[in-house]
Amino acid sequence: MDEYIADTPEYLGLGSGAFSLLDGAWYVNTFSLKRYADRIDSGRMSLERMRRFRPWELRHYGLLMALFGLDPDRAAALLSAGGVLGEVEMFALRCADAFSRDRQGKLVLNHHGRYLALSMMRSSMPA
């Protein structure tokens, strides 16, 4: 699994620079190999940052993961679960020309949509 493409509500990332999402909190391990090794060798956790998400932030994070994982059907399902706000978000993505249809008529994220998903993912990461 790639830490940017998780298809489960929670996941555990191991290693330098890994991400985890557990019980509504997002954890980031240190990216520094030296700091990671030093922390593990001294019996400490490798965590660099933690952020507790509010319920709407969890839904948005799930949306970003679905878009980044090129799964617009899952993104649409997450958006529809968001009620009117989700419908507005899906409308905005459609207006932004983020989707196309493949030969079977399935909704897919096009090149522009992939760029938008990447931009959204980058801008949502806490500093």
Side-chain angles (χ1 to χ4, degrees):
M1 175 186 85
D2 183 313
E3 68 265 16
Y4 292 116
I5 306 172
D7 56 2
T8 58
E10 293 188 329
Y11 56 90
L12 178 64
L14 302 173
S16 174
F19 297 84
S20 300
L21 182 64
L22 301 168
D23 195 28
W26 191 63
Y27 301 90
V28 181
N29 286 350
T30 180
F31 281 81
S32 166
L33 292 174
K34 179 171 179 7
R35 203 164 38 237
Y36 182 85
D38 289 346
R39 287 181 183 174
I40 297 301
D41 289 345
S42 67
R44 292 181 297 153
M45 300 282 288
S46 59
L47 296 176
E48 187 77 18
R49 302 219 187 254
M50 186 277 265
R51 177 172 182 215
R52 182 148 309 277
F53 285 134
R54 296 180 195 107
W56 66 268
E57 291 174 312
L58 272 175
R59 189 175 60 79
H60 278 164
Y61 183 76
L63 167 65
L64 288 174
M65 296 299 274
L67 290 173
F68 201 77
L70 305 178
D71 190 350
D73 289 334
R74 190 165 134 237
L78 287 165
L79 288 172
S80 68
V84 173
L85 181 58
E87 291 174 20
V88 170
E89 292 169 327
M90 188 63 165
F91 178 74
L93 286 168
R94 287 182 190 269
C95 287
D97 193 31
F99 304 109
S100 298
R101 299 257 176 209
D102 67 10
R103 292 176 192 204
Q104 290 78 34
K106 183 180 175 190
L107 198 64
V108 295
L109 210 57
N110 59 29
H111 290 292
H112 181 67
R114 291 175 189 185
Y115 174 77
L116 289 174
L118 177 61
S119 298
M120 289 166 42
M121 182 65 88
R122 289 188 69 195
S123 68
S124 71
M125 296 295 164

